[in-house]
Amino acid sequence: MSLKSDTHDARIVRMRMGMLCRAHLDKTFIAGAEQTALWQEHAKLALMEGKPTPDLPIASKFQKIRAGEADIYVYLPEELAVEAFGLGAQYQKMELTAAKAIEAMQALADQISLYELRLKEPFQVMSFLREELASQEIPPEADQNASASPKEPNEGKH
């Protein structure tokens, strides 16, 4: 990030760093959701057994990322990791819709891409959730056909 030049090699290094940051953000969001789900289960069991609830899970500043043939550890500053982890937790607890989670995570990615790495185009995060949302959307023509034919009052009821 301290590279001041805008040579071809410097841009390539910043782009690679962007891809690693993207992977870190995605993994941190997922970790936030998974660890929150696990915590919720443990907290429910503890409550039923009259035991104290376990400590809340915390974000890691480091994520192990596969880069070619090797695994490397990628670092993000604590405030960014905590925010991504928290968004995953909120999504898990259904406090955020998928669209809002994507929007908030993309804002983090834009901050890193544009201001920290000085990339011309921000990298896109949450492709797994974007694809899931896209696969659930009803094509516009199917939606129009559905509204064009009125339903019988008892149609679909058994």
Side-chain angles (χ1 to χ4, degrees):
M1 288 178 23
S2 64
L3 290 173
K4 298 297 179 205
S5 69
D6 201 28
T7 65
H8 178 70
D9 290 340
R11 283 191 305 273
I12 288 173
V13 168
R14 288 195 308 267
M15 285 175 46
R16 284 186 183 151
M17 287 177 65
M19 295 300 121
L20 293 171
C21 289
R22 177 183 69 189
H24 191 305
L25 286 172
D26 285 351
K27 286 185 86 166
T28 302
F29 178 90
I30 292 167
E34 290 175 346
Q35 290 179 31
T36 297
L38 188 59
W39 178 85
Q40 287 174 320
E41 287 296 317
H42 289 159
K44 188 176 6 174
L45 285 173
L47 183 64
M48 290 181 348
E49 296 172 356
K51 295 180 180 176
T53 57
D55 292 338
L56 288 169
I58 58 170
S60 174
K61 297 179 280 189
F62 297 92
Q63 287 289 346
K64 187 173 166 180
I65 308 291
R66 187 78 167 156
E69 298 289 317
D71 290 333
I72 60 171
Y73 285 90
V74 178
Y75 167 83
L76 272 183
E78 185 173 11
E79 63 274 5
L80 297 174
V82 166
E83 189 168 347
F85 190 90
L87 290 168
Q90 288 179 308
Y91 177 71
Q92 176 64 34
K93 293 186 282 186
M94 293 190 240
E95 295 171 358
L96 274 182
T97 64
K100 290 291 183 188
I102 291 168
E103 182 182 321
M105 287 293 290
Q106 190 59 53
L108 276 176
D110 291 353
Q111 176 186 343
I112 294 168
S113 299
L114 300 172
Y115 303 111
E116 304 297 334
L117 297 176
R118 298 181 323 277
L119 298 173
K120 291 181 182 174
E121 292 291 322
F123 54 84
Q124 189 178 58
V125 293
M126 309 286 287
S127 59
F128 61 93
L129 194 53
R130 291 174 195 268
E131 290 167 7
E132 185 179 313
L133 271 183
S135 71
Q136 294 174 358
E137 288 183 7
I138 300 171
E141 61 277 358
D143 193 32
Q144 289 173 354
N145 292 339
S147 62
S149 59
K151 292 184 179 180
E152 294 296 320
N154 292 326
E155 187 177 310
K157 294 181 181 177
H158 298 283

